[in-house]
Amino acid sequence: MTRLSVNINKIATLRNARGGNLPDVEKAARDCEAFGAEGITVHPRPDERHIRYSDVRLIRPNITTEFNIEGNPIGSFIDLVCEVVPDQVTLVPDAHDAITSNAGWDTLAIRGFLTDVCALFRSKGIRTSIFIDPDPRMAEGAAACGADRVEMYTAAYAERYPEGPEAAIADYLRCAERVRELGLGLNAGHDLNLDNLEYFIRTIPWTDEVSIGHALISDALYMGLEKTIAAYLSKIKIF
C-alpha cells in the first residue's frame, strides 16, 4: 500500500519568517507521525530558507516511521546525509536559487555522477531514490545508476488534471509500468493534493510512497493538521 510522507518544509518557512521557534519544527514532525503520517520528508537547501541543516540533525532522533531527506547532492548535502543516515535519500537536481523543484534528472547524461552517489549512500545502508520526469528512459537510466527507487515529478500531472485526468496521467502510467518492469520502487511527489491524489493512486496502485508538503500544510491552515493528514490518508488507502 502507498505510504504518506509529509514534507514539513513549509512549517519551517513559517518559523523562519518571524525568527524564534514558533512553530516548532521538531514537534510538528512528531505530531505528523502521531496523526498517522508514515514518514517525514525534509528538503534542506544551501540557503536554509526553510529546513536548516541543524533541523535535520535535531529531527532525526525523533522519527519513528521513515525519514526521507531530499536535495541536490552537493558536497555539504552528501556530508549531512552520511552523518544523519536517513531511511531514504531522494536526489533532486534543484538549483540553489530555485523556488521549488522544477525538473527531474537526466539520468543518462550524468550517469557516472549519480552512480557514484548511489553507491556511496548504499554503502551507508540508505535507500536511494532519484527524482525523474515521467520518461521511461530516465527510469532505465536510474536503474543503471544503481538507484533503489525513482520519484516521478508530478507537477505536469497536477497542472493537466483539471482538463482531463486520463490524459494527464498517461505519461506517468507508461513510466510507472517501466519502473515496475525494472524492479525499482516507485515514489511520486510535487503538487499532489486532495483533488488529484486518489485518481493517481487508483491508476498507479503500485506507488510505494507519496511525499506531500505545500498542499497538505496549506489545507491544514483551514482543517487542522490532524484532520488534514487523515484526509490525505483516505485518498491513498483505497484498496
Side-chain angles (χ1 to χ4, degrees):
M1 295 180 66
T2 306
R3 297 166 63 92
L4 172 66
S5 185
V6 175
N7 186 319
I8 60 172
N9 276 23
K10 287 299 184 294
I11 295 174
T13 300
L14 181 60
R15 175 201 61 190
N16 295 352
R18 184 69 179 264
N21 194 40
L22 185 67
D24 185 325
V25 174
E26 291 177 73
K27 182 178 184 302
R30 293 194 301 270
D31 287 343
C32 286
E33 288 188 324
F35 297 152
E38 297 153 310
I40 300 296
T41 292
V42 293
H43 189 149
R45 287 182 165 87
D47 62 7
E48 299 193 319
R49 63 181 180 269
H50 33 62
I51 287 290
R52 301 167 181 152
Y53 279 36
S54 58
D55 291 327
V56 178
R57 295 184 178 98
L58 291 171
I59 291 169
R60 179 64 181 114
N62 294 304
I63 299 302
T64 59
T65 55
E66 178 182 280
F67 194 35
N68 173 46
I69 304 179
E70 298 181 343
N72 194 330
I74 60 175
S76 58
F77 178 86
I78 290 174
D79 291 344
L80 177 69
V81 171
C82 289
E83 173 192 345
V84 170
V85 190
D87 301 285
Q88 177 175 266
V89 58
T90 302
L91 308 180
V92 182
D94 51 349
H96 73 279
D97 57 351
I99 295 175
T100 187
S101 305
N102 54 23
W105 291 97
D106 186 335
T107 57
L108 303 177
I110 54 171
R111 175 177 169 179
F113 171 71
L114 291 174
T115 298
D116 290 344
V117 173
C118 289
L120 173 60
F121 291 145
R122 181 178 299 107
S123 74
K124 301 290 185 180
I126 304 168
R127 181 200 312 138
T128 304
S129 178
I130 295 181
F131 196 64
I132 64 169
D133 295 317
D135 181 340
R137 297 175 306 148
M138 297 301 106
E140 292 163 3
C145 293
D148 301 294
R149 293 186 183 183
V150 297
E151 178 174 333
M152 291 196 299
Y153 173 48
T154 50
Y157 163 73
E159 181 179 354
R160 298 170 187 161
Y161 179 84
E163 300 173 4
E166 191 171 327
I169 207 168
D171 289 343
Y172 291 87
L173 180 57
R174 281 191 291 271
C175 185
E177 288 172 339
R178 184 60 178 138
V179 169
R180 183 167 58 174
E181 292 170 354
L182 291 164
L184 296 174
L186 179 65
N187 297 341
H190 207 91
D191 292 341
L192 295 173
N193 58 39
L194 290 173
D195 294 326
N196 59 41
L197 179 58
E198 182 173 340
Y199 183 81
F200 189 94
I201 299 301
R202 285 193 180 279
T203 307
I204 309 175
W206 59 94
T207 304
D208 290 297
E209 176 184 291
V210 289
S211 175
I212 305 177
H214 183 80
L216 189 152
I217 300 304
S218 296
D219 289 333
L221 294 175
Y222 297 93
M223 299 166 58
L225 189 57
E226 183 172 6
K227 289 183 178 179
T228 299
I229 289 175
Y232 275 84
L233 288 170
S234 75
K235 299 296 183 179
I236 63 175
K237 307 301 181 183
I238 52 179
F239 297 101

